[in-house]
Amino acid sequence: MNQKFLILVATVALFTACYPEGATYVHELDTAMSRYDSNFAFHEPQSYDLPDTVAFFKNGQPQASHAVIGALLLTEVNRKLDSLGWVKHPLVQDDLPDLMVSITVHENHSVGMIWGSTPGYWWGWYPGWDFWYPSGGWYYPWITIPYQIHTGSVIVEMAAPNQAQRNRIPIVYSGVLDGLLQGSERYRLQRLQVGINDLFGQAPFRGATNRWD
Amino acid sequence: MNSFVKKIVAGSALFTVLFAASGQNRYSSVRYSLAFPTGNTQDYISKTSFRGVEFEFGSYINTHWSIGLQMGYQTFYKEMGKTSYPIRDGVITGYQYRYIHAVPLLLQPRYHFAANAKINPFVGMGVGTYWVEQTTEMGLYAWVDKIWHFGLAPEAGIGVGLGMRSMLFASAQYNWALPTAHFDSRQWMSMKLGFTYAF
């Protein structure tokens, strides 16, 4: 009887030990993804506009800004573009920058982002450009699809107004940071900083990555 | 599970049960299995697997031949660290974890060179199926493939008698899960150690 019991215990222990653990810490579940127009010359410094506001959304609805997170994201994205040699060029009606950059934060329990292959129109947020809103709006050569998951997402998008065709401005870059909404504010800020660094370390900026090393 | 695999599994089980029931020298065996990935498995996960277990139930047909139904479970795992991988028109960066869970279900005939001796070397050739689940986790995403393979598993080993009914079992077996229409082959070398009990 004892022998059978020991065999049973050993068998259960063996099977229990068979499944490895995977990620241990929350930051190990963070991902940085970028998708871009490979024909756009990201590696050649150009002019850009970045509004001094980060838009916050919760469950798809506008949300009050989080000053600390917004400031960190603006500072980091500005710093990365500046270090690449890009020149900040405020949005002016007859002198558009090469890139219009937007940052949005989806602090939510329901929205993540995944790219599909179907072209579509931008869901739309960019302050201060009402004076020149082409009837075609911005469009994606791919489509960004929200999905249900308990995460937060930071989305950095870049549109090229000078490449507008038939009043449609192409989005040439989408960067998405995804992660779990867990941990202290300090931990989250560290993760966001690492995430922005990861995004700009990826192609299409890879040609300039060494300047940061 | 497709119909071909179902037939293999059902046929193997039936064959083994019939042999085991009719034989005078039935045996059961439990073994620990350590596995070294090779080929495509090594390309995906290079790390040695220390997570493996195996059971077998069978019968001696005569002095030299035995046949058994062998069921196993082997897990390969590797943490890839933080790395960037290309996706279509883009890149994804994050911590990646790779898993292969493999369940061999094999009909296992063996030839025993000295069945009645204390030291009993043998060779065998397992034939049957491998259920393989391959998972790549990255952040909150996971890519999972679940595949049934047909497979072959040549084996060589030794049995050491410990008494009238029990035997120490040690063997090396090359597991070759053949390619399917949509998935490459998977291979690994198992080193097994366990006990066999005759009844």
Side-chain angles (χ1 to χ4, degrees):
Chain A
M1 184 66 186
N2 284 340
Q3 194 178 11
K4 286 179 181 174
F5 179 73
L6 283 173
I7 290 170
L8 181 67
V9 169
T11 304
V12 171
L14 266 174
F15 275 105
T16 307
C18 276
Y19 202 90
E21 285 186 1
T24 306
Y25 300 102
V26 170
H27 70 266
E28 292 174 354
L29 292 172
D30 293 343
T31 48
M33 289 177 289
S34 59
R35 190 164 181 182
Y36 52 89
D37 177 356
S38 53
N39 294 318
F40 191 86
F42 288 97
H43 56 284
E44 295 174 4
Q46 301 174 68
S47 61
Y48 74 98
D49 177 54
L50 176 63
D52 58 3
T53 309
V54 172
F56 284 76
F57 297 86
K58 187 170 186 177
N59 297 326
Q61 300 299 314
Q63 184 84 352
S65 293
H66 188 296
V68 178
I69 288 176
L72 174 94
L73 291 171
L74 288 170
T75 301
E76 287 299 310
V77 172
N78 263 320
R79 192 169 67 83
K80 291 298 183 191
L81 289 170
D82 289 348
S83 64
L84 283 167
W86 289 59
V87 178
K88 199 163 186 181
H89 181 96
L91 196 62
V92 181
Q93 185 163 6
D94 296 321
D95 186 14
L96 296 168
D98 295 303
L99 283 182
M100 297 162 71
V101 183
S102 79
I103 306 173
T104 55
V105 175
H106 296 257
E107 183 178 346
N108 56 70
H109 295 284
S110 61
V111 177
M113 303 305 261
I114 192 166
W115 291 296
S117 56
T118 312
Y121 288 92
W122 192 45
W123 56 280
W125 174 84
Y126 203 90
W129 77 313
D130 296 342
F131 62 85
W132 192 71
Y133 192 93
S135 58
W138 296 11
Y139 78 97
Y140 291 95
W142 52 83
I143 189 166
T144 308
I145 305 164
Y147 59 84
Q148 302 288 322
I149 195 166
H150 299 278
T151 68
S153 302
V154 174
I155 304 173
V156 179
E157 294 176 303
M158 300 181 187
N162 293 325
Q163 293 188 0
Q165 289 184 342
R166 297 191 298 276
N167 278 336
R168 298 200 310 173
I169 302 176
I171 292 176
V172 293
Y173 175 88
S174 291
V176 177
L177 306 178
D178 267 341
L180 291 177
L181 287 172
Q182 288 184 16
S184 65
E185 180 174 285
R186 185 179 174 185
Y187 184 46
R188 290 188 197 190
L189 291 173
Q190 283 175 349
R191 289 163 59 200
L192 286 172
Q193 200 164 15
V194 169
I196 294 293
N197 200 49
D198 288 341
L199 280 185
F200 280 87
Q202 296 173 342
F205 306 101
R206 190 178 294 158
T209 303
N210 290 338
R211 286 190 230 171
W212 302 330
D213 293 340
Chain B
M1 202 188 314
N2 63 42
S3 59
F4 175 72
V5 174
K6 280 180 183 171
K7 284 174 188 169
I8 293 282
V9 172
S12 302
L14 182 65
F15 197 58
T16 305
V17 168
L18 287 174
F19 264 105
S22 62
Q24 295 301 308
N25 296 300
R26 284 170 288 179
Y27 68 87
S28 61
S29 189
V30 59
R31 303 153 196 157
Y32 168 73
S33 169
L34 180 150
F36 302 98
T38 61
N40 294 324
T41 308
Q42 187 180 36
D43 292 342
Y44 181 68
I45 295 176
S46 58
K47 211 171 169 183
T48 301
S49 165
F50 294 94
R51 298 178 170 99
V53 64
E54 192 175 283
F55 303 97
E56 185 172 322
F57 178 69
S59 178
Y60 281 91
I61 301 167
N62 57 39
T63 311
H64 290 291
W65 285 95
S66 69
I67 189 161
L69 182 65
Q70 177 181 308
M71 293 160 287
Y73 180 51
Q74 193 80 45
T75 298
F76 296 89
Y77 169 70
K78 188 173 184 184
E79 296 180 14
M80 302 301 290
K82 190 173 185 178
T83 322
S84 293
Y85 298 88
I87 57 175
R88 187 180 165 197
D89 293 331
V91 181
I92 181 168
T93 300
Y95 291 87
Q96 192 181 101
Y97 304 89
R98 295 181 176 183
Y99 308 81
I100 291 178
H101 299 285
V103 180
L105 183 60
L106 304 172
L107 194 63
Q108 182 69 62
R110 291 192 183 88
Y111 180 81
H112 302 267
F113 293 96
N116 295 321
K118 184 175 175 64
I119 306 294
N120 174 17
F122 59 84
V123 292
M125 171 61 82
V127 180
T129 62
Y130 286 81
W131 181 81
V132 176
E133 180 182 295
Q134 179 172 305
T135 303
T136 305
E137 289 180 353
M138 198 163 185
L140 302 170
Y141 306 90
W143 292 265
V144 183
D145 291 299
K146 297 177 181 178
I147 307 104
W148 280 96
H149 295 262
F150 180 75
L152 299 171
E155 180 188 38
I158 192 166
V160 179
L162 299 175
M164 286 295 287
R165 293 180 177 275
S166 58
M167 183 173 71
L168 185 68
F169 179 100
S171 79
Q173 187 166 39
Y174 188 73
N175 292 271
W176 184 24
L178 298 169
T180 69
H182 306 291
F183 210 74
D184 292 335
S185 61
R186 288 288 174 265
Q187 306 97 332
W188 62 93
M189 174 67 86
S190 298
M191 307 300 288
K192 306 175 200 175
L193 188 64
F195 291 97
T196 296
Y197 184 77
F199 55 94

